[in-house]
Amino acid sequence: MKTYLPSRFIIERDPSRCIQCKVCVNQCTFDVHYYDAEDDEVRSHEENCVGCHRCVIFCPTNALTVRRNPLDYRENYNWRPEVIEDIIKQSETGGVLLTGMGNDKGYPIYWDHLLLNASQVTNPSIDPLREPMELTTYLGQKPDRVEIEPSSLSLKTQLAPQVKLDTPIMFAAMSYGAVSINVHKSLARAAAGAGTLWNTGEGGLHPELYKYGNNTVAQVASGRFGVHPEYLDVARVIEIKIGQGAKPGIGGHLPGEKVSAEVSATRMIPEGTDALSPAPQHDIYSIEDLAQLVYALKEATNYTKPIAVKIAAVHNSAAIASGMVRAGADIIVLDGLRGGTGATPKIIRDNVGIPIELALASVDTRLRQEGIRNQASIVISGGIRNSGDVAKAIALGADAVYIGTAALVALGCTLCQQCHTGKCAWGICTSNPALTKRVNPDIGARRLTNLLRGWSLELKDILGGMGINAIESLRGNRLQLRGIGLTDTELEILGVKMAGS
Amino acid sequence: MRELNNINNFYHDDKVIDACSLFGMMDTSGKQFSGEGVVRAIANMHIRGNGLGGGFAVYGLYPEYAEFYAFHIMYLSHEGQAQVEAFLKQRFYVIHVEEVPTKPTPAISNPPLVWRYFLEVKTEETKGQSLDDYVVEKVIEINTKVKDAFVFSSGKNMAVFKGVGYPEEIAEYFCLDEYTGYLWTAHGRFPTNTPGWWGGAHPFDILDWTVVHNGEISSYGINRRYLEQFGYQCTMQTDTEVVAYAVDLLMRKHGLPIEIVADIMAPPLWEQIERMPSKEQNICRTLRQVYGSLLLNGPFTVIIAHQGEMIGLTDRIRLRPLTVGIKGSVLYLSSEESAIRLICPDLDRTWIPVGGEPVVGSLEKPLIPQEVAIAGGDGI
Ligand code: SF4
Ligand code: SF4
């Protein structure tokens, strides 16, 4: 069948710069560039290009430019090019459209409608270069009060297990298999270096990474891939994954091509078989079932680790979160509409879930109304782009955030959304050994550590400007936020006032 | 419900911002003294206020009614008074009632009526509540439900006198030279937004806890949300209200001693905690983990008082002033040293406390008078 799909990108090769070195031919994993020996010229099959810019960055003479193909159809707000092309694809394949990464639609990004405060006159701002500024955060269940023996001033209260973060930014769940071992190594080393946590995702933990256990969140998802006693023992936190922001209500699918020998050993499934995680956890059909799994994991690890429960941000998040806390979750993780993934049905990614800002605000408010906010920490993820977003999330009520996409961008990802193809030209979202080499774990770890350091320094600047020198004084302090361009209902849900009021 | 915020926080700001002068004086041997010195001292810091609020808390002034709750209530109308008095009769045995004596003072215009009531709780009404909780509930009920009334203070053998004016004018108006007490705190206010409402002046009181405060608490937003979880309604949106409720929660309800409360409101840095011996480390870490939302962040100095105890505390990086002086068994706390020296030139000791370290004067642990006083020195 002749495809009616137009090329999305145009590739311009400046003949005066191109030296026919074929770097682009080797770098592109989507079979775009090829060398025509007869004419001694490098040429392109533009129609295959996904716009990942790998070739552009690696061309030694800067000969390449990749541009959007303007595709000047007649203007139509309803039948936009993307809509037309999706229909073309489905009429040619008859399948569910898959994609990678998070929701890219124009739904409101509330971070961009929230502004932070700073001190003037009545309250001095604090200079983080000269004064201490504290980002230390402890995740875990906190009691309602502390009891002290008055005569000896000794502590009677015993806290549930707590996990210390030097900075309230962690790396989100990305499974081995979806991303390469080198990505896992980079994340684990960076987390250990920066005093924070990284998350295995649902594909288990490669034995080579057990040494980073103290900085590892081990996920237990519906497929139970790679879950065994040692895996649970070695981790610092165990996270039960119920859902994911990029595909609420949908299970995972790791295509058999990505299940290499190493991946198969770690996931504990035969090589080359598809790894299908069921949509629900089949032992959790209700909140009491969740409580059983939470306590089964607490028992299995002798009450030494906090148990997190992760859900996608959906319409009833507040009520669900309250149930999760009552079911014994020590940490609740909310993953918003813009959270990324290695593969998801496009129609789900584009239409299901709610923005994380709203979910966070309503969950934090609800837990406070019920007087149980202290019983669990709140961690959010899904589209956090910079330290400003982190500060706003904490002011809305989060204890910490997870970053996934931002971490991959630090490793080279350009959000070409081809993660599901296994062809990632940046060597991130693939298990092809020739490609995974493109991420060097030493350099990867350094890039990630730098990112965390930069954001942490900026967070300190933000806090100092507010005249606050400890992150806990920002947490849930919504008076440090003002909304701009929001309706009364939005302001009410976010629990912030309009800028100027 | 009546929105006190509408009166006190005229522009509906997040919180009332004010800067101030503070003074506290306590004879830890329990000896009574007149307020004359305290008034001169706070007047010496005139320039730190702007005439929009002054007030005093006095402890030990009603020995004859020591076992009864002493309510000082301000009224803006006779209807308000009638309503409150009917309410009090229902909920309490009223032992004694009188108008608080005042004398016309040119600087004080338009004063409200101020009456005092000595009350005993009708135990059959409490339904198992503790007496203190019962009283707190009734105070909040009067403050929020009755239009023209506001309870200045509600503790035993103590009282708050406050209003719109400079503190020395308020002292004159309420004839404070006629009272004696063993503990006095005083406050001169520089608010940036109140239209001048008598209830908005400091000290802020709940039961016999009073707080005078200088500063702006940047963590106000989360402090308030945390306290709301425990049923406190921060109706006035002042930082001071938050401090008073935090103290009430931690000391009265959670039964924590003042040293521990100071470690919650102005905790040591994590870095310092990591270096502590394991017992203290464990306590400080646990406190920060559990009560992080009550850390008072931003510049503040407070003088907190209750029966038998006076506590001075600054924020942990000491962004607002506090000077301590000791003479014999008397402890002085002041925004400025000059105010202390004005009334007691030959102090045994004077020092500026480290940020976040509480200075405590207590009847239980009276200061031992120094044998030899070294003028101007630290006496050690
Ligand atoms: S490397 Fe990426 S940008 Fe370059 S041609 Fe291939 S797909 Fe296009
Ligand atoms: S991980 Fe790779 S395939 Fe996925 S969006 Fe990023 S660059 Fe593209």
Side-chain angles (χ1 to χ4, degrees):
Chain A
M1 209 192 299
K2 154 91 181 129
T3 179
Y4 296 162
L5 270 184
S7 308
R8 300 288 292 273
F9 294 91
I10 295 174
I11 295 177
E12 290 168 347
R13 180 176 285 98
D14 183 343
S16 68
R17 292 188 177 190
C18 179
I19 51 171
Q20 281 84 42
C21 69
K22 304 191 226 49
V23 163
C24 55
V25 180
N26 295 327
Q27 289 296 323
C28 181
T29 50
F30 295 90
D31 302 321
V32 175
H33 305 284
Y34 64 98
Y35 177 62
D36 188 329
E38 221 164 281
D39 293 348
D40 184 27
E41 206 178 311
V42 180
R43 299 214 170 97
S44 321
H45 295 296
E46 288 181 332
E47 64 279 11
N48 292 340
C49 177
V50 299
C52 76
H53 280 71
R54 178 82 188 178
C55 57
V56 177
I57 303 295
F58 279 80
C59 173
T61 59
N62 287 336
L64 289 170
T65 306
V66 174
R67 287 195 294 117
R68 279 305 308 261
N69 185 355
L71 289 172
D72 291 327
Y73 301 104
R74 184 176 285 272
E75 298 77 10
N76 191 316
Y77 203 78
N78 195 36
W79 300 97
R80 299 182 296 276
E82 184 192 356
V83 176
I84 296 174
E85 284 160 27
D86 282 353
I87 292 178
I88 295 175
K89 278 184 209 157
Q90 287 192 296
S91 62
E92 291 173 5
T93 62
V96 171
L97 292 178
L98 290 181
T99 186
M101 282 297 155
N103 191 309
D104 59 3
K105 298 289 166 289
Y107 299 111
I109 298 172
Y110 286 97
W111 306 129
D112 295 340
H113 292 269
L114 291 169
L115 296 167
L116 294 161
N117 193 26
S119 305
Q120 299 289 293
V121 182
T122 55
N123 171 350
S125 45
I126 304 170
D127 182 347
L129 293 176
R130 295 178 179 82
E131 307 257 7
M133 197 56 70
E134 303 186 302
L135 299 183
T136 304
T137 302
Y138 280 89
L139 300 183
Q141 188 192 124
K142 316 284 191 297
D144 291 344
R145 55 173 293 191
V146 172
E147 272 189 87
I148 302 270
E149 174 61 56
S151 51
S152 60
L153 282 191
S154 54
L155 193 63
K156 287 210 278 189
T157 309
Q158 222 8 57
L159 290 199
Q162 304 286 317
V163 179
K164 181 182 175 193
L165 305 176
D166 290 340
T167 186
I169 309 164
M170 313 190 282
F171 296 125
M174 290 177 279
S175 70
Y176 175 41
V179 296
S180 72
I181 187 69
N182 284 349
V183 171
H184 262 202
K185 281 184 188 165
S186 305
L187 291 167
R189 286 184 202 172
T196 184
L197 301 175
W198 73 291
N199 189 314
T200 60
E202 59 176 300
L205 181 64
H206 195 281
E208 229 185 280
L209 299 176
Y210 283 6
K211 57 176 176 281
Y212 301 107
N214 220 11
N215 294 85
T216 303
V217 180
Q219 229 184 34
V220 173
S222 59
R224 296 287 194 277
F225 299 121
V227 178
H228 50 83
E230 205 183 350
Y231 171 73
L232 299 179
D233 281 342
V234 80
R236 189 73 190 81
V237 175
I238 298 172
E239 181 176 287
I240 300 170
K241 178 195 166 184
I242 302 292
Q244 182 178 343
K247 43 179 169 180
I250 299 281
H253 178 188
L254 186 71
E257 303 85 75
K258 278 180 136 180
V259 181
S260 61
E262 293 270 290
V263 171
S264 97
T266 305
R267 290 218 175 203
M268 310 193 304
I269 52 169
E271 201 176 328
T273 51
D274 287 8
L276 297 166
S277 327
Q281 299 241 3
H282 278 302
D283 50 0
I284 304 180
Y285 288 173
S286 70
I287 204 83
E288 326 70 275
D289 294 346
L290 174 66
Q292 286 194 21
L293 181 59
V294 168
Y295 281 95
L297 290 169
K298 287 189 179 183
E299 286 286 338
T301 53
N302 220 355
Y303 295 85
T304 54
K305 313 167 195 274
I307 308 295
V309 179
K310 173 179 175 178
I311 56 164
V314 290
H315 303 180
N316 292 336
S317 296
I320 299 165
S322 157
M324 283 155 57
V325 175
R326 292 174 196 285
D330 300 298
I331 300 169
I332 57 179
V333 182
L334 304 167
D335 191 21
L337 181 68
R338 287 182 296 274
T341 178
T344 172
K346 186 167 183 291
I347 202 73
I348 302 288
R349 183 197 74 171
D350 290 352
N351 296 286
V352 182
I354 62 171
I356 191 60
E357 301 91 322
L358 301 177
L360 165 61
S362 55
V363 167
D364 178 72
T365 303
R366 171 69 74 91
L367 297 185
R368 281 180 197 280
Q369 281 165 351
E370 297 185 9
I372 55 174
R373 175 65 183 83
N374 54 318
Q375 289 177 24
S377 300
I378 299 180
V379 175
I380 63 136
S381 56
I384 298 280
R385 302 158 299 175
N386 52 44
S387 58
D389 292 353
V390 178
K392 292 168 188 175
I394 291 175
L396 279 179
D399 288 85
V401 306
Y402 269 135
I403 56 167
T405 304
L408 296 191
V409 171
L411 295 176
C413 166
T414 51
L415 280 103
C416 67
Q417 305 189 3
Q418 302 305 308
C419 323
H420 59 295
T421 62
K423 291 189 194 169
C424 179
W426 289 90
I428 295 166
C429 228
T430 172
S431 47
N432 173 346
L435 299 181
T436 58
K437 276 196 299 208
R438 293 183 177 188
V439 174
N440 172 328
D442 287 330
I443 298 173
R446 205 175 337 136
R447 298 183 80 99
L448 290 166
T449 318
N450 283 344
L451 181 74
L452 290 180
R453 179 169 183 275
W455 286 20
S456 302
L457 289 173
E458 288 172 345
L459 275 180
K460 292 181 178 187
D461 270 336
I462 291 172
L463 286 180
M466 290 172 179
I468 283 176
N469 60 8
I471 193 99
E472 59 254 52
S473 297
L474 178 63
R475 190 184 310 135
N477 190 347
R478 298 190 189 171
L479 289 181
Q480 299 294 346
L481 294 172
R482 285 293 188 273
I484 187 145
L486 297 174
T487 65
D488 285 353
T489 313
E490 288 169 313
L491 291 168
E492 192 189 312
I493 292 171
L494 291 166
V496 300
K497 291 192 187 185
M498 175 71 194
S501 64
Chain B
M1 195 177 104
R2 178 166 157 245
E3 259 291 10
L4 289 173
N5 182 24
N6 287 350
I7 309 166
N8 188 59
N9 188 356
F10 196 62
Y11 298 106
H12 300 285
D13 291 341
D14 295 338
K15 58 184 182 230
V16 175
I17 297 169
D18 43 25
C20 319
S21 56
L22 310 181
F23 195 82
M25 180 172 169
M26 175 183 190
D27 193 326
T28 56
S29 70
K31 215 168 85 213
Q32 306 271 116
F33 55 92
S34 95
E36 181 266 331
V38 175
V39 174
R40 275 208 299 141
I42 195 85
N44 192 52
M45 297 186 280
H46 185 89
I47 199 164
R48 300 182 71 91
N50 67 356
L52 285 181
F56 298 82
V58 192
Y59 290 81
L61 77 173
Y62 298 134
E64 66 279 29
Y65 295 110
E67 67 270 37
F68 304 111
Y69 289 97
F71 276 39
H72 275 220
I73 306 181
M74 161 194 116
Y75 300 114
L76 297 174
S77 72
H78 290 288
E79 296 79 67
Q81 179 169 12
Q83 227 178 313
V84 168
E85 290 186 349
F87 175 80
L88 291 177
K89 277 200 194 99
Q90 265 173 31
R91 311 288 170 180
F92 297 91
Y93 299 110
V94 181
I95 308 299
H96 182 71
V97 186
E98 64 190 4
E99 187 167 4
V100 175
T102 53
K103 89 173 157 227
T105 310
I108 303 293
S109 55
N110 237 340
L113 301 164
V114 183
W115 283 66
R116 59 188 166 215
Y117 304 83
F118 296 94
L119 307 171
E120 192 182 331
V121 171
K122 284 191 178 166
T123 33
E124 61 273 23
E125 294 272 338
T126 58
K127 301 191 188 84
Q129 257 177 322
S130 80
L131 298 186
D132 281 351
D133 282 342
Y134 179 83
V135 172
V136 170
E137 199 181 278
K138 300 306 158 237
V139 169
I140 292 179
E141 209 168 319
I142 296 173
N143 286 349
T144 54
K145 300 238 169 82
V146 184
K147 199 164 139 272
D148 286 342
F150 185 78
V151 182
F152 278 174
S153 58
S154 50
K156 291 178 180 170
N157 201 9
M158 58 78 65
V160 166
F161 302 91
K162 61 181 181 179
V164 175
Y166 282 100
E168 58 274 25
E169 296 162 354
I170 296 297
E172 189 188 343
Y173 178 72
F174 281 115
C175 317
L176 290 194
D177 46 350
E178 289 168 18
Y179 298 91
T180 60
Y182 65 89
L183 192 174
W184 291 68
T185 64
H187 189 262
R189 188 170 183 221
F190 199 135
T192 52
N193 66 353
T194 182
W197 177 58
W198 282 51
H202 298 206
F204 192 90
D205 169 278
I206 187 84
L207 295 170
D208 71 346
W209 295 94
T210 59
V211 178
V212 288
H213 161 245
N214 169 18
E216 183 190 343
I217 296 171
S218 316
S219 54
Y220 175 81
I222 184 56
N223 301 147
R224 195 186 82 187
R225 291 183 82 208
Y226 183 79
L227 289 165
E228 279 168 357
Q229 287 199 71
F230 292 91
Y232 294 95
Q233 291 173 27
C234 296
T235 42
M236 296 170 66
Q237 308 226 339
T238 68
D239 300 8
T240 320
E241 187 181 26
V242 153
V243 180
Y245 291 154
V247 168
D248 185 65
L249 176 75
L250 296 172
M251 295 189 76
R252 187 172 66 84
K253 292 206 179 148
H254 292 183
L256 299 171
I258 178 62
E259 301 85 347
I260 296 290
V261 172
D263 279 339
I264 291 168
M265 301 206 291
L269 297 166
W270 285 116
E271 222 175 78
Q272 295 167 325
I273 294 176
E274 297 306 328
R275 286 198 300 266
M276 289 175 176
S278 74
K279 184 184 162 199
E280 284 95 276
Q281 184 185 68
N282 202 6
I283 293 182
C284 284
R285 188 190 292 133
T286 306
L287 292 175
R288 274 195 84 169
Q289 286 170 334
V290 175
Y291 292 115
S293 302
L294 279 184
L295 191 165
L296 303 180
N297 215 315
F300 73 85
T301 300
V302 286
I303 302 178
I304 300 164
H306 68 126
Q307 215 55 262
E309 200 166 49
M310 175 171 83
I311 302 136
L313 181 69
T314 66
D315 64 271
R316 57 196 194 140
I317 53 175
R318 219 173 51 75
L319 294 170
R320 287 287 151 93
L322 179 68
T323 302
V324 187
I326 287 180
K327 172 72 188 172
S329 58
V330 180
L331 174 70
Y332 298 91
L333 299 172
S334 175
S335 298
E336 295 178 8
E337 186 175 337
S338 58
I340 309 179
R341 295 224 174 256
L342 178 75
I343 58 169
C344 182
D346 58 340
L347 287 166
D348 297 342
R349 283 179 71 190
T350 163
W351 77 95
I352 290 172
V354 173
E357 261 180 28
V359 178
V360 184
S362 166
L363 291 184
E364 279 168 23
K365 287 181 227 151
L367 293 165
I368 314 291
Q370 305 265 311
E371 294 272 297
V372 192
I374 303 166
D378 65 7
I380 295 175

